[in-house]
Amino acid sequence: GHPQNPPKATKRRQRGFSDAMPFDELCPPTAPFFGFMGAAVALIFANLGAAYGTAKSGVGVSSMGVMKPDLIMKSIIPVVMAGVLGIYGLIIAVIIANGVTTPTTDGKTKYSSFTGFAHLAAGLACGLSGLAAGIAIGIVGDAGVRANAQQAKLYVGMVLILIFAEALGLYGLIIGLIMTSNSSDVCGMA
């Protein structure tokens, strides 16, 4: 009875590993986590940037509007541009969330690590670019709106600076879109 025990134990271990946990090096069960995190961070950071830009420039518009109420609608531009940053994050988050495929009924992951990392990187690129752009728009919008109330010729310069700040978020969106299209179908072949 003693010499037959080791082969039986190894056989049981092999059977348990293949049946209960289908583990693929390229398509681990943890891969969708990275995809969903990419969708989350894209929206979270882009919204943080949009919220900061809206709040900071909104304070400037409010304090300026007390003295020059006729300039309020002209000065709302930084608030609009900050809001667009949230839309950039939303676009990338929707694309990534739709790209994460559900596992099969027997528990096999159809979503590769490669795609998960690509989606995480895309979300971080878009989200953090949106955060940076939102901070820039907030600070410039606040100072520019107040200064524009004193000197009307500053308006065109303020809008130009805001456009270049908004472009930073757009760069993140473009790279995010390129990286979300970078997905591998290596799990389907297995």
Side-chain angles (χ1 to χ4, degrees):
H2 187 65
Q4 292 174 349
N5 276 347
K8 201 182 289 179
T10 52
K11 196 184 289 180
R12 189 185 302 122
R13 196 181 297 124
Q14 285 167 351
R15 188 174 67 240
F17 190 76
S18 60
D19 292 351
M21 298 173 53
F23 187 79
D24 186 357
E25 282 288 318
L26 299 172
C27 312
T30 53
F33 168 77
F34 294 103
F36 286 127
M37 280 307 291
V41 295
L43 192 59
I44 289 166
F45 285 125
N47 278 350
L48 278 172
Y52 182 85
T54 303
K56 193 108 168 78
S57 51
V59 168
V61 170
S62 302
S63 66
M64 182 275 307
V66 175
M67 303 303 289
K68 297 269 184 82
D70 50 315
L71 287 177
I72 291 177
M73 287 318 287
K74 234 177 113 176
S75 303
I76 220 85
I77 282 186
V79 176
V80 174
M81 293 179 91
V84 171
L85 295 173
I87 299 172
Y88 292 164
L90 179 73
I91 291 168
I92 291 287
V94 166
I95 291 172
I96 293 175
N98 286 337
V100 180
T101 49
T102 52
T104 55
T105 47
D106 59 343
K108 270 189 78 68
T109 312
K110 292 191 297 182
Y111 185 75
S112 67
S113 280
F114 178 89
T115 314
F117 297 147
H119 284 171
L120 178 63
L124 282 170
C126 181
L128 291 174
S129 297
L131 178 60
I135 292 169
I137 287 171
I139 293 169
V140 171
D142 186 21
V145 160
R146 291 169 195 259
N148 185 46
Q150 310 288 322
Q151 171 59 267
K153 289 179 183 172
L154 260 171
Y155 186 71
V156 177
M158 179 189 79
V159 170
L160 270 174
I161 296 167
L162 286 170
I163 288 169
F164 280 106
E166 178 83 21
L168 301 176
L170 193 61
Y171 303 152
L173 176 76
I174 292 166
I175 293 299
L177 287 170
I178 291 169
M179 281 199 280
T180 48
S181 62
N182 246 348
S183 58
S184 90
D185 301 325
V186 76
C187 302
M189 295 182 223

